[in-house]
Amino acid sequence: QELSQWELVRAINEYVNTGVRYLGLEFGIHGYKPHKVDEICNARYGDCKDKAALAITMLKEVGIEAHFVILRTSQLGEIDYELPMIGMFNHAIYYLPDVGGQEYWIDGTATFFDATELPSSDEGVNSLIVKPGGEYEFKRIPYSAAESNGGVYTTVLTVDANGNATGYRASEFRGLYNPVIRRSYENTVKAKEIVDRTLVGTYPGSRTWNLELSDITDYSTAESLSYELELLPYGVRRGQELLLPSVVFDESLSQRFAHLSQREFDLILGAGWNRTNVLKLTLPEGHGEVQLPPDQTIETEYGRYTRQSVVKDGVVEIKEDVLFLANRVPKEKYAAFREFCRLVDMCQDEKITVKMQG
């Protein structure tokens, strides 16, 4: 069966990424010039420019146009165009101008990444595309859409009168969240240990069982993770009231991105993301009045937060969506971004209050 163009691209990227070990032995001219392709194949190792050169040659052999790209990764800041020098660049990848009507930048060193997934440090930077015959072009690599990165997290729990809960949690990932899962759970034997460590950090005394992880060796499919769990406790009993979190794991945006009161320089955040949390709680038998966090919509240029809450027949259902759009926050707009983070954190900190009988 003949492979499609994209299947060929994916297969070549997989070989370059996993079949050729990353190793930077940049002595003499090879600090700037890739090794010959046959040397790379024989040695089965190379640095970023070696891997890019190998991929471009292999793609050419199957009739797919690709060009060498050098760039300055985002954490090092913008290129100074008034000071042209090779030392301004610190990384090499490759560029495909047209595969199925779309252009792609692919990083041959990005272990755990599919050909459709570009590391956040490569996104948003101005790349120098080197073409045959000495032609070149500066082209800024676009950020992946925030909606394409993230996950849907569904947690279904049954809560007793003391706030203890049992149930299951299922997560489905997309975009740049997939490589994170592949890297985190590379040693699948330790998958349960990793999940338990995360849970215990928020809910001491919790435990999990029946954990199921998708095939993380197949980069062409989205990753997923599910498990049954017990949270001891999930909520807190205070007299006749039971206080329950409205979200299992909060985002802590202020702590992660906006802990400074002001900034001297712009804040670089990389690719945006989108997380959807669905929480279904079966309340204890004989409970009384239930007070839910109010529905919310917060929308700014940096992101959007929405929440809908409902209770019916003793089951609380809360759905919230966090869309994080900020790739770069100018220092003069940092206060507004910080306020968005604060408002989202306040919403996620709100509790479900359940009146208990007796």
Side-chain angles (χ1 to χ4, degrees), residues 93-132:
I93 61 175
Y94 56 103
Y95 170 70
L96 285 68
D98 184 6
V99 178
Q102 286 188 272
E103 60 181 356
Y104 292 93
W105 283 262
I106 301 179
D107 191 331
T109 69
T111 310
F112 305 108
F113 285 73
D114 182 50
T116 59
E117 301 158 354
L118 193 63
S120 187
S121 59
D122 294 347
E123 292 190 338
V125 304
N126 207 3
S127 65
L128 177 59
I129 303 170
V130 182
K131 301 180 179 180

Tab-separated table of all heavy atoms in Angstrom, residues 93-132:
chain	number	residue	atom	x	y	z
A	93	ILE	N	15.997	23.375	12.782
A	93	ILE	CA	14.882	22.466	12.516
A	93	ILE	C	14.681	22.434	11.002
A	93	ILE	O	15.568	22.858	10.255
A	93	ILE	CB	13.599	22.901	13.259
A	93	ILE	CG1	13.145	24.306	12.819
A	93	ILE	CG2	13.840	22.907	14.770
A	93	ILE	CD1	11.820	24.741	13.425
A	94	TYR	N	13.540	21.954	10.516
A	94	TYR	CA	13.319	21.980	9.071
A	94	TYR	C	11.891	22.410	8.758
A	94	TYR	O	10.985	22.298	9.591
A	94	TYR	CB	13.683	20.657	8.406
A	94	TYR	CG	13.005	19.413	8.936
A	94	TYR	CD1	11.945	18.819	8.255
A	94	TYR	CD2	13.442	18.785	10.102
A	94	TYR	CE1	11.342	17.656	8.696
A	94	TYR	CE2	12.840	17.621	10.565
A	94	TYR	CZ	11.794	17.060	9.860
A	94	TYR	OH	11.195	15.910	10.314
A	95	TYR	N	11.731	22.901	7.521
A	95	TYR	CA	10.482	23.542	7.093
A	95	TYR	C	9.948	22.858	5.850
A	95	TYR	O	10.684	22.617	4.888
A	95	TYR	CB	10.758	25.018	6.802
A	95	TYR	CG	9.633	25.769	6.125
A	95	TYR	CD1	8.460	26.064	6.808
A	95	TYR	CD2	9.754	26.212	4.811
A	95	TYR	CE1	7.428	26.774	6.196
A	95	TYR	CE2	8.738	26.925	4.189
A	95	TYR	CZ	7.577	27.197	4.895
A	95	TYR	OH	6.555	27.900	4.287
A	96	LEU	N	8.654	22.527	5.873
A	96	LEU	CA	7.970	21.950	4.721
A	96	LEU	C	6.955	22.975	4.219
A	96	LEU	O	5.964	23.257	4.905
A	96	LEU	CB	7.253	20.658	5.105
A	96	LEU	CG	8.098	19.400	5.312
A	96	LEU	CD1	8.990	19.515	6.532
A	96	LEU	CD2	7.211	18.171	5.430
A	97	PRO	N	7.193	23.562	3.049
A	97	PRO	CA	6.309	24.640	2.586
A	97	PRO	C	4.913	24.191	2.164
A	97	PRO	O	3.976	24.989	2.207
A	97	PRO	CB	7.076	25.227	1.394
A	97	PRO	CG	7.992	24.141	0.937
A	97	PRO	CD	8.339	23.356	2.158
A	98	ASP	N	4.768	22.912	1.756
A	98	ASP	CA	3.448	22.497	1.272
A	98	ASP	C	3.282	20.984	1.386
A	98	ASP	O	3.815	20.222	0.581
A	98	ASP	CB	3.273	22.927	-0.191
A	98	ASP	CG	1.882	22.617	-0.732
A	98	ASP	OD1	1.021	22.171	0.051
A	98	ASP	OD2	1.659	22.824	-1.942
A	99	VAL	N	2.549	20.569	2.397
A	99	VAL	CA	2.126	19.174	2.510
A	99	VAL	C	0.606	19.185	2.679
A	99	VAL	O	0.098	19.612	3.714
A	99	VAL	CB	2.788	18.462	3.710
A	99	VAL	CG1	2.278	17.029	3.815
A	99	VAL	CG2	4.305	18.472	3.580
A	100	GLY	N	-0.079	18.793	1.644
A	100	GLY	CA	-1.542	18.829	1.687
A	100	GLY	C	-2.097	20.231	1.812
A	100	GLY	O	-3.153	20.434	2.431
A	101	GLY	N	-1.378	21.206	1.245
A	101	GLY	CA	-1.842	22.590	1.285
A	101	GLY	C	-1.485	23.339	2.549
A	101	GLY	O	-1.922	24.480	2.734
A	102	GLN	N	-0.699	22.722	3.442
A	102	GLN	CA	-0.298	23.371	4.683
A	102	GLN	C	1.220	23.391	4.812
A	102	GLN	O	1.923	22.527	4.260
A	102	GLN	CB	-0.883	22.640	5.888
A	102	GLN	CG	-2.372	22.865	6.090
A	102	GLN	CD	-2.833	22.268	7.409
A	102	GLN	OE1	-3.187	21.100	7.483
A	102	GLN	NE2	-2.826	23.076	8.448
A	103	GLU	N	1.729	24.392	5.538
A	103	GLU	CA	3.153	24.458	5.815
A	103	GLU	C	3.410	23.922	7.225
A	103	GLU	O	2.556	24.027	8.110
A	103	GLU	CB	3.672	25.896	5.696
A	103	GLU	CG	3.023	26.883	6.638
A	103	GLU	CD	3.551	28.301	6.474
A	103	GLU	OE1	4.480	28.506	5.673
A	103	GLU	OE2	3.027	29.206	7.161
A	104	TYR	N	4.589	23.341	7.409
A	104	TYR	CA	4.941	22.765	8.706
A	104	TYR	C	6.399	23.076	9.042
A	104	TYR	O	7.266	23.056	8.164
A	104	TYR	CB	4.773	21.233	8.686
A	104	TYR	CG	3.349	20.764	8.570
A	104	TYR	CD1	2.797	20.492	7.322
A	104	TYR	CD2	2.552	20.572	9.701
A	104	TYR	CE1	1.492	20.056	7.209
A	104	TYR	CE2	1.246	20.136	9.591
A	104	TYR	CZ	0.716	19.883	8.341
A	104	TYR	OH	-0.584	19.449	8.227
A	105	TRP	N	6.636	23.375	10.310
A	105	TRP	CA	7.978	23.393	10.867
A	105	TRP	C	8.089	22.154	11.763
A	105	TRP	O	7.204	21.901	12.587
A	105	TRP	CB	8.215	24.633	11.707
A	105	TRP	CG	8.458	25.897	10.949
A	105	TRP	CD1	9.673	26.468	10.663
A	105	TRP	CD2	7.475	26.798	10.414
A	105	TRP	NE1	9.508	27.646	9.970
A	105	TRP	CE2	8.170	27.875	9.800
A	105	TRP	CE3	6.083	26.795	10.368
A	105	TRP	CZ2	7.518	28.937	9.178
A	105	TRP	CZ3	5.439	27.839	9.743
A	105	TRP	CH2	6.147	28.898	9.155
A	106	ILE	N	9.150	21.382	11.623
A	106	ILE	CA	9.304	20.144	12.386
A	106	ILE	C	10.666	20.148	13.071
A	106	ILE	O	11.684	20.483	12.450
A	106	ILE	CB	9.146	18.910	11.486
A	106	ILE	CG1	7.768	18.921	10.822
A	106	ILE	CG2	9.330	17.629	12.291
A	106	ILE	CD1	7.521	17.752	9.879
A	107	ASP	N	10.688	19.772	14.324
A	107	ASP	CA	11.909	19.735	15.130
A	107	ASP	C	12.379	18.290	15.263
A	107	ASP	O	11.732	17.476	15.933
A	107	ASP	CB	11.629	20.345	16.507
A	107	ASP	CG	12.904	20.593	17.307
A	107	ASP	OD1	13.887	19.865	17.100
A	107	ASP	OD2	12.908	21.523	18.138
A	108	GLY	N	13.504	17.976	14.634
A	108	GLY	CA	14.015	16.614	14.652
A	108	GLY	C	14.596	16.175	15.971
A	108	GLY	O	14.911	14.994	16.152
A	109	THR	N	14.736	17.101	16.924
A	109	THR	CA	15.272	16.746	18.247
A	109	THR	C	14.170	16.602	19.284
A	109	THR	O	14.453	16.306	20.450
A	109	THR	CB	16.271	17.812	18.740
A	109	THR	OG1	15.562	19.029	19.040
A	109	THR	CG2	17.339	18.090	17.706
A	110	ALA	N	12.918	16.846	18.882
A	110	ALA	CA	11.817	16.921	19.848
A	110	ALA	C	11.305	15.520	20.170
A	110	ALA	O	10.292	15.061	19.626
A	110	ALA	CB	10.695	17.798	19.317
A	111	THR	N	11.993	14.833	21.053
A	111	THR	CA	11.573	13.508	21.490
A	111	THR	C	10.186	13.592	22.128
A	111	THR	O	9.886	14.553	22.838
A	111	THR	CB	12.575	12.955	22.509
A	111	THR	OG1	13.887	13.082	21.980
A	111	THR	CG2	12.321	11.490	22.811
A	112	PHE	N	9.347	12.600	21.856
A	112	PHE	CA	7.973	12.494	22.341
A	112	PHE	C	6.981	13.339	21.541
A	112	PHE	O	5.792	13.329	21.821
A	112	PHE	CB	7.844	12.862	23.833
A	112	PHE	CG	8.751	12.091	24.738
A	112	PHE	CD1	9.844	12.693	25.336
A	112	PHE	CD2	8.535	10.745	24.973
A	112	PHE	CE1	10.687	11.972	26.173
A	112	PHE	CE2	9.377	10.016	25.791
A	112	PHE	CZ	10.458	10.635	26.398
A	113	PHE	N	7.471	14.090	20.526
A	113	PHE	CA	6.597	14.944	19.723
A	113	PHE	C	6.300	14.301	18.372
A	113	PHE	O	7.196	13.791	17.700
A	113	PHE	CB	7.257	16.308	19.468
A	113	PHE	CG	7.249	17.233	20.642
A	113	PHE	CD1	8.083	17.015	21.726
A	113	PHE	CD2	6.412	18.336	20.666
A	113	PHE	CE1	8.090	17.876	22.806
A	113	PHE	CE2	6.408	19.204	21.745
A	113	PHE	CZ	7.241	18.966	22.825
A	114	ASP	N	5.029	14.347	17.973
A	114	ASP	CA	4.649	13.946	16.634
A	114	ASP	C	5.068	15.054	15.655
A	114	ASP	O	5.390	16.180	16.064
A	114	ASP	CB	3.139	13.725	16.581
A	114	ASP	CG	2.659	13.266	15.221
A	114	ASP	OD1	3.240	12.302	14.685
A	114	ASP	OD2	1.719	13.884	14.681
A	115	ALA	N	5.035	14.747	14.359
A	115	ALA	CA	5.394	15.750	13.359
A	115	ALA	C	4.456	16.956	13.384
A	115	ALA	O	4.834	18.045	12.947
A	115	ALA	CB	5.388	15.117	11.973
A	116	THR	N	3.246	16.786	13.891
A	116	THR	CA	2.289	17.896	13.967
A	116	THR	C	2.495	18.749	15.215
A	116	THR	O	1.846	19.784	15.356
A	116	THR	CB	0.849	17.365	13.990
A	116	THR	OG1	0.690	16.501	15.132
A	116	THR	CG2	0.531	16.588	12.735
A	117	GLU	N	3.375	18.330	16.106
A	117	GLU	CA	3.537	18.988	17.407
A	117	GLU	C	4.926	19.613	17.501
A	117	GLU	O	5.938	18.925	17.438
A	117	GLU	CB	3.354	17.960	18.531
A	117	GLU	CG	1.996	17.292	18.504
A	117	GLU	CD	1.961	15.956	19.229
A	117	GLU	OE1	3.021	15.461	19.668
A	117	GLU	OE2	0.859	15.390	19.361
A	118	LEU	N	4.962	20.928	17.644
A	118	LEU	CA	6.226	21.655	17.713
A	118	LEU	C	6.447	22.155	19.134
A	118	LEU	O	5.531	22.726	19.740
A	118	LEU	CB	6.192	22.841	16.745
A	118	LEU	CG	7.513	23.538	16.439
A	118	LEU	CD1	8.493	22.600	15.750
A	118	LEU	CD2	7.255	24.764	15.566
A	119	PRO	N	7.638	21.949	19.703
A	119	PRO	CA	7.885	22.419	21.070
A	119	PRO	C	7.587	23.904	21.229
A	119	PRO	O	7.807	24.702	20.307
A	119	PRO	CB	9.382	22.139	21.263
A	119	PRO	CG	9.674	20.994	20.355
A	119	PRO	CD	8.792	21.215	19.155
A	120	SER	N	7.090	24.262	22.389
A	120	SER	CA	6.701	25.644	22.656
A	120	SER	C	7.866	26.611	22.479
A	120	SER	O	7.670	27.762	22.082
A	120	SER	CB	6.133	25.754	24.081
A	120	SER	OG	5.610	27.032	24.314
A	121	SER	N	9.100	26.165	22.747
A	121	SER	CA	10.259	27.042	22.612
A	121	SER	C	10.550	27.398	21.157
A	121	SER	O	11.267	28.370	20.876
A	121	SER	CB	11.498	26.383	23.225
A	121	SER	OG	11.785	25.148	22.588
A	122	ASP	N	10.004	26.622	20.204
A	122	ASP	CA	10.177	26.923	18.773
A	122	ASP	C	9.075	27.827	18.241
A	122	ASP	O	9.247	28.476	17.205
A	122	ASP	CB	10.166	25.629	17.952
A	122	ASP	CG	11.349	24.715	18.241
A	122	ASP	OD1	12.306	25.170	18.890
A	122	ASP	OD2	11.297	23.540	17.833
A	123	GLU	N	7.928	27.844	18.911
A	123	GLU	CA	6.788	28.601	18.411
A	123	GLU	C	6.951	30.098	18.668
A	123	GLU	O	7.538	30.513	19.670
A	123	GLU	CB	5.496	28.111	19.064
A	123	GLU	CG	5.100	26.707	18.652
A	123	GLU	CD	3.704	26.343	19.106
A	123	GLU	OE1	3.180	26.964	20.060
A	123	GLU	OE2	3.124	25.440	18.507
A	124	GLY	N	6.425	30.896	17.753
A	124	GLY	CA	6.418	32.342	17.925
A	124	GLY	C	7.712	33.035	17.563
A	124	GLY	O	7.778	34.268	17.608
A	125	VAL	N	8.745	32.291	17.186
A	125	VAL	CA	10.042	32.910	16.880
A	125	VAL	C	10.158	33.133	15.379
A	125	VAL	O	9.478	32.499	14.573
A	125	VAL	CB	11.215	32.046	17.386
A	125	VAL	CG1	11.073	31.770	18.869
A	125	VAL	CG2	11.323	30.744	16.618
A	126	ASN	N	11.059	34.035	15.002
A	126	ASN	CA	11.282	34.322	13.589
A	126	ASN	C	12.359	33.395	13.062
A	126	ASN	O	13.513	33.472	13.474
A	126	ASN	CB	11.687	35.778	13.403
A	126	ASN	CG	11.314	36.312	12.039
A	126	ASN	OD1	10.706	35.611	11.235
A	126	ASN	ND2	11.678	37.553	11.761
A	127	SER	N	11.984	32.500	12.173
A	127	SER	CA	12.916	31.497	11.674
A	127	SER	C	13.568	31.964	10.380
A	127	SER	O	12.945	32.649	9.564
A	127	SER	CB	12.183	30.172	11.439
A	127	SER	OG	11.225	30.301	10.408
A	128	LEU	N	14.813	31.571	10.188
A	128	LEU	CA	15.527	31.860	8.942
A	128	LEU	C	15.532	30.585	8.106
A	128	LEU	O	16.200	29.605	8.445
A	128	LEU	CB	16.954	32.320	9.233
A	128	LEU	CG	17.840	32.582	8.006
A	128	LEU	CD1	17.222	33.646	7.105
A	128	LEU	CD2	19.241	32.999	8.424
A	129	ILE	N	14.751	30.604	7.014
A	129	ILE	CA	14.632	29.447	6.123
A	129	ILE	C	15.696	29.560	5.042
A	129	ILE	O	15.748	30.556	4.305
A	129	ILE	CB	13.229	29.383	5.496
A	129	ILE	CG1	12.152	29.341	6.599
A	129	ILE	CG2	13.096	28.185	4.573
A	129	ILE	CD1	10.735	29.522	6.076
A	130	VAL	N	16.551	28.564	4.969
A	130	VAL	CA	17.655	28.563	4.015
A	130	VAL	C	17.268	27.688	2.827
A	130	VAL	O	17.017	26.488	2.984
A	130	VAL	CB	18.953	28.037	4.655
A	130	VAL	CG1	20.108	28.094	3.656
A	130	VAL	CG2	19.283	28.827	5.919
A	131	LYS	N	17.246	28.285	1.636
A	131	LYS	CA	16.796	27.585	0.442
A	131	LYS	C	17.970	27.307	-0.494
A	131	LYS	O	19.042	27.906	-0.360
A	131	LYS	CB	15.719	28.411	-0.266
A	131	LYS	CG	14.496	28.698	0.604
A	131	LYS	CD	13.455	29.517	-0.125
A	131	LYS	CE	12.236	29.777	0.762
A	131	LYS	NZ	11.201	30.571	0.054
A	132	PRO	N	17.788	26.420	-1.460
A	132	PRO	CA	18.866	26.119	-2.404
A	132	PRO	C	19.301	27.365	-3.178
A	132	PRO	O	18.499	28.275	-3.434
A	132	PRO	CB	18.239	25.086	-3.348
A	132	PRO	CG	17.131	24.469	-2.562
A	132	PRO	CD	16.610	25.560	-1.684
